[in-house]
Amino acid sequence: MVTMRDVAKRAGVSIATVSFVLNDTKPVTPATRERIELAMTELGFRRNMVARALASRRTRIIAMAYPALDHRFGFSAAEFFTSAAEAARQQDYHLVLWPVGNDGGELTELVGQSLVDGVVLMEVQLDDPRIAVLQRTRTPFALIGRTTALEGLTHVDIDFDTTVEDAVGYLHGLGHRRLVLVSGDLADPRFHTYGPYVRSEAAYRRVAAGYGIETIVLECSDSTRAGREAATRLLRDHPETTAVLVLNEYSALGVMSGLNRLGRRIPDEISVLSLMAPDTAALSNPELTIMRTPGPELGRLGTEALIRQLEGATPLPPPHLIPAKLHLGESTAPPP
Amino acid sequence: MVTMRDVAKRAGVSIATVSFVLNDTKPVTPATRERIELAMTELGFRRNMVARALASRRTRIIAMAYPALDHRFGFSAAEFFTSAAEAARQQDYHLVLWPVGNDGGELTELVGQSLVDGVVLMEVQLDDPRIAVLQRTRTPFALIGRTTALEGLTHVDIDFDTTVEDAVGYLHGLGHRRLVLVSGDLADPRFHTYGPYVRSEAAYRRVAAGYGIETIVLECSDSTRAGREAATRLLRDHPETTAVLVLNEYSALGVMSGLNRLGRRIPDEISVLSLMAPDTAALSNPELTIMRTPGPELGRLGTEALIRQLEGATPLPPPHLIPAKLHLGESTAPPP
DNA sequence: GTGAAAGCGCTAACAA
DNA sequence: TTGTTAGCGCTTTCAC
């Protein structure tokens, strides 16, 4: 292995000088810098990140902690990850996806080993135990999602209020007055404090009340099967419904599939609108009209916010909340 | 931060002894071991992985290198990752998903930094440039997928021969004689040496010839949209087709959707069979019959093979090739 | 069975 | 502008 010592010897300088050009931490005359750089390429030097990390107490690794066992890794999550990794790379950090449990145990282990400089937390619960872990261990972190108590926490999230307002406004504008919200299954312990469901549902109740339309909410697990089953319940219990708003991407595909099976023509007889990533929307038939989850923006923003924190820079100014925007598909139309 | 030195002082032993109990590298009397363990819990000691890595020249981190920009991260990939991470954890390693480019550049950087002990390579091409990088840098690695030249490379992969035999055999057994294979887009530079397509297609030609049925192959990109478009081509150019075998999960969903749109009843008029993960199969309508990609097994096997290599253990005995097994859905039936 | 001490490759004072 | 040097926290010989 070629070390800085080798480079220094070859360039006829001290190891410290090599460090200075590598990190750009002190001025070095162009001549010596050039000699050092030449030596580095000649020798094929690659700096040892582990040694650097030990000496500087920074690894330049950011972990995106994903609760692999409790949430399936869907398209939206893939968007978060890809964009976050890209943002990190641009700032000379490595961002890796680190599967951890939802209870905080594995996260404790991870951050206790001082292997990562910071953590981007995905799928945050309203009272997430992992946040206590990060605070206790004084690990810098950023949230994609929000807890209930947000004081001082670096976070980015979907603006559910605006999103739901826009979604319902759009359907209302088309003439729909009999809507149903298909939310998550709040009885499921994994989700009963899951922000996206809780906040969207609250926003929906508020917005629906504002329009003076009846508020009907169906609960539904995050699976296609559950979505299909929800479609059955929907037609049985609320046959007069003309439009459905679905929060989960898997549920939405199931609702589409279920309505199709039951012979409802979409969008002629019933409209469906869902919060999801565009890749997913293309999977249904007809193609879904969606409120597009701002995955790329959130992944990038979250990572940038964390890195600013790591480098002691001034916090990123707002916006921290990004609304999902309407993308027209083929699943919405005026009511029959 | 609590260091081994603190623990040693508190337990009244030397730092070396602490290391011995931590790593179980030398015999220690039960009495002192107990004192040390007590001290560790009292102090809340957590070993610093970075220091350990520097001293031992092993990080116990395995990177699963994923060509994030060239391949979308789908359900099958998620299965690989989850099971691989689990297998690593059981052997006290960390496995993280590391997004890298397909050309080997970023991979060079990653392994040059001696941050990871080994690499699990996904989405391997038949002549993958990344493999040269790993060999040149003497990085231990395992492949999920196969190159053309395999001498001495640790790898696991789908047994495409058996898989295609079983798939075609199943359709043939149902009575189908007019089949079409929807393969990848070999004109796309990302895929023209992509093992799964190349091997499956070769196997298909062989098996079809064996049954004496005409060999028709449609090329199709890895997207739902492309799949839909392939369905159109299929019905236009080969209207007599009674069964379709699709290799890519996204394409398959698109083919289903496309056939649905064009008014073909599945499976009454045409059967569809695809190679994919069961989660994905549930997304289509009707639910797809699949050859289930052995993601969990491959992820686990690949990781275990790599770890054995890292620890100098004897290589894992075969099987290295796992066939996908038939999972009945609702998209296949005898021909009309 | 336990301890002393020499690194692992690098960073960052401090000195020159 | 450049060099000297003391760590970073741990592993691992080699003595005892």
Side-chain angles (χ1 to χ4, degrees):
Chain A
M1 165 176 256
V2 182
T3 71
M4 276 173 48
R5 178 161 268 104
D6 301 323
V7 173
K9 198 187 303 174
R10 173 140 192 155
V13 298
S14 85
I15 176 179
T17 313
V18 177
S19 176
F20 298 153
V21 337
L22 269 175
N23 300 310
D24 217 24
T25 40
K26 290 220 176 166
V28 173
T29 50
T32 47
R33 155 169 269 120
E34 201 164 311
R35 285 216 316 288
I36 290 171
E37 273 162 358
L38 182 65
M40 291 199 298
T41 57
E42 283 176 346
L43 263 39
F45 169 78
R46 331 222 83 236
R47 107 214 281 154
N48 183 318
M49 287 304 287
V50 177
R52 168 149 119 123
L54 180 60
S56 66
R57 277 164 295 274
R58 310 196 35 197
T59 62
R60 301 190 80 80
I61 298 181
I62 294 171
M64 178 168 260
Y66 195 80
L69 299 175
D70 296 307
H71 290 251
R72 39 211 312 189
F73 194 85
F75 292 91
S76 300
E79 281 193 342
F80 286 140
F81 173 59
T82 309
S83 64
E86 183 53 32
R89 175 141 43 221
Q90 282 172 10
Q91 314 239 26
D92 199 24
Y93 279 80
H94 291 295
L95 183 138
V96 302
L97 186 66
W98 213 297
V100 298
N102 220 339
D103 56 2
E106 285 165 319
L107 190 61
T108 308
E109 228 202 296
L110 166 62
V111 300
Q113 304 180 135
S114 45
L115 268 175
V116 300
D117 289 349
V119 173
V120 176
L121 213 54
M122 289 185 64
E123 305 293 6
V124 178
Q125 306 282 328
L126 288 181
D127 60 346
D128 204 303
R130 298 174 299 170
I131 289 175
V133 169
L134 293 171
Q135 291 180 315
R136 182 162 9 93
T137 55
R138 315 175 132 296
T139 310
F141 64 96
L143 309 178
I144 296 184
R146 283 170 288 167
T147 51
T148 309
L150 271 178
E151 338 73 53
L153 300 189
T154 304
H155 70 278
V156 298
D157 200 359
I158 298 176
D159 179 345
F160 292 103
D161 283 322
T162 306
T163 301
V164 170
E165 277 162 23
D166 292 353
V168 174
Y170 165 67
L171 293 172
H172 191 269
L174 284 175
H176 294 278
R177 297 296 179 269
R178 298 186 156 280
L179 309 187
V180 165
L181 175 73
V182 176
S183 181
D185 180 7
L186 296 184
D188 184 330
R190 295 176 302 153
F191 294 121
H192 77 279
T193 64
Y194 186 55
Y197 295 154
V198 174
R199 287 182 217 280
S200 298
E201 200 171 317
Y204 181 74
R205 289 181 191 282
R206 180 174 55 71
V207 174
Y211 281 111
I213 59 187
E214 193 187 358
T215 303
I216 303 172
V217 178
L218 288 185
E219 303 205 332
C220 176
S221 300
D222 60 331
S223 76
T224 315
R225 201 169 307 266
R228 275 206 274 262
E229 192 266 320
T232 307
R233 270 186 290 150
L234 173 73
L235 295 185
R236 186 192 62 210
D237 300 341
H238 310 284
E240 71 291 355
T241 306
T242 63
V244 194
L245 176 59
V246 189
L247 297 182
N248 178 269
E249 51 188 356
Y250 297 101
S251 308
L253 294 172
V255 166
M256 290 292 285
S257 152
L259 292 174
N260 277 330
R261 280 183 185 219
L262 294 166
R264 285 303 181 283
R265 296 201 319 284
I266 304 169
D268 304 332
E269 298 180 272
I270 188 165
S271 289
V272 182
L273 177 59
S274 173
L275 181 64
M276 61 165 61
D279 277 350
T280 319
L283 297 181
S284 75
N285 201 16
E287 189 158 325
L288 266 161
T289 293
I290 58 170
M291 302 303 292
R292 192 224 187 291
T293 50
E297 296 87 330
L298 290 179
R300 185 175 51 69
L301 275 179
T303 305
E304 285 174 358
L306 174 60
I307 290 176
R308 294 182 86 101
Q309 201 179 321
L310 290 176
E311 315 222 305
T314 54
L316 214 56
H320 303 310
L321 299 184
I322 316 270
K325 290 214 201 71
L326 183 69
H327 272 224
L328 290 179
E330 310 160 331
S331 67
T332 47
Chain B
M1 165 178 257
V2 182
T3 70
M4 276 174 49
R5 177 162 268 105
D6 301 322
V7 174
K9 197 186 305 174
R10 172 137 190 157
V13 297
S14 85
I15 175 179
T17 312
V18 177
S19 176
F20 298 152
V21 337
L22 267 175
N23 300 309
D24 219 22
T25 40
K26 288 219 178 166
V28 173
T29 52
T32 46
R33 156 169 270 122
E34 202 164 310
R35 285 216 316 286
I36 291 171
E37 273 161 358
L38 183 65
M40 291 199 299
T41 56
E42 283 177 347
L43 265 40
F45 169 78
R46 333 222 83 236
R47 101 206 293 150
N48 182 317
M49 288 302 289
V50 176
R52 169 148 118 121
L54 180 59
S56 66
R57 278 162 292 277
R58 308 194 38 195
T59 62
R60 301 192 78 81
I61 298 180
I62 294 171
M64 178 168 259
Y66 195 82
L69 299 176
D70 295 308
H71 290 253
R72 42 210 309 189
F73 193 85
F75 291 90
S76 300
E79 281 194 341
F80 286 138
F81 173 58
T82 309
S83 64
E86 182 53 33
R89 175 136 47 218
Q90 282 172 11
Q91 313 238 26
D92 200 24
Y93 280 79
H94 291 294
L95 183 138
V96 302
L97 187 66
W98 214 296
V100 299
N102 220 341
D103 57 2
E106 286 165 318
L107 191 60
T108 308
E109 226 201 297
L110 165 63
V111 301
Q113 305 181 131
S114 45
L115 267 177
V116 300
D117 289 348
V119 172
V120 176
L121 211 56
M122 289 186 65
E123 306 292 6
V124 178
Q125 306 281 329
L126 290 181
D127 60 344
D128 203 303
R130 298 174 301 169
I131 289 176
V133 169
L134 293 171
Q135 290 179 315
R136 180 157 17 90
T137 55
R138 314 177 133 296
T139 310
F141 64 94
L143 309 178
I144 296 185
R146 283 170 287 166
T147 50
T148 309
L150 270 178
E151 338 74 52
L153 299 189
T154 303
H155 69 279
V156 298
D157 200 359
I158 298 176
D159 179 345
F160 292 103
D161 283 322
T162 306
T163 300
V164 170
E165 277 162 24
D166 291 354
V168 175
Y170 165 68
L171 293 172
H172 191 269
L174 284 176
H176 293 279
R177 297 296 179 271
R178 298 186 156 280
L179 309 187
V180 164
L181 175 73
V182 176
S183 181
D185 180 7
L186 296 184
D188 183 330
R190 296 176 302 152
F191 294 121
H192 77 279
T193 64
Y194 186 55
Y197 295 154
V198 174
R199 288 181 216 280
S200 299
E201 200 170 318
Y204 181 75
R205 289 182 190 281
R206 181 174 55 71
V207 173
Y211 281 112
I213 59 186
E214 193 187 356
T215 303
I216 302 172
V217 177
L218 288 186
E219 303 206 333
C220 176
S221 300
D222 59 333
S223 77
T224 314
R225 199 167 309 264
R228 275 207 277 262
E229 192 266 320
T232 306
R233 271 186 289 150
L234 173 73
L235 295 184
R236 185 191 64 209
D237 300 341
H238 310 284
E240 71 293 352
T241 305
T242 64
V244 194
L245 176 59
V246 189
L247 297 183
N248 178 269
E249 49 188 356
Y250 296 100
S251 307
L253 293 172
V255 167
M256 289 292 285
S257 155
L259 292 174
N260 277 329
R261 281 185 186 221
L262 295 165
R264 285 303 181 286
R265 294 201 318 284
I266 306 168
D268 304 333
E269 297 179 273
I270 188 165
S271 289
V272 181
L273 177 59
S274 173
L275 181 65
M276 62 164 61
D279 276 351
T280 320
L283 296 180
S284 74
N285 198 16
E287 188 159 323
L288 266 162
T289 294
I290 58 169
M291 303 302 292
R292 191 222 188 294
T293 49
E297 296 88 329
L298 291 178
R300 185 175 50 70
L301 275 179
T303 305
E304 285 175 359
L306 174 60
I307 290 177
R308 294 181 86 100
Q309 201 180 321
L310 290 177
E311 315 222 305
T314 54
L316 214 56
H320 302 312
L321 298 184
I322 316 271
K325 291 213 201 72
L326 183 68
H327 272 223
L328 290 179
E330 310 159 326
S331 68
T332 48

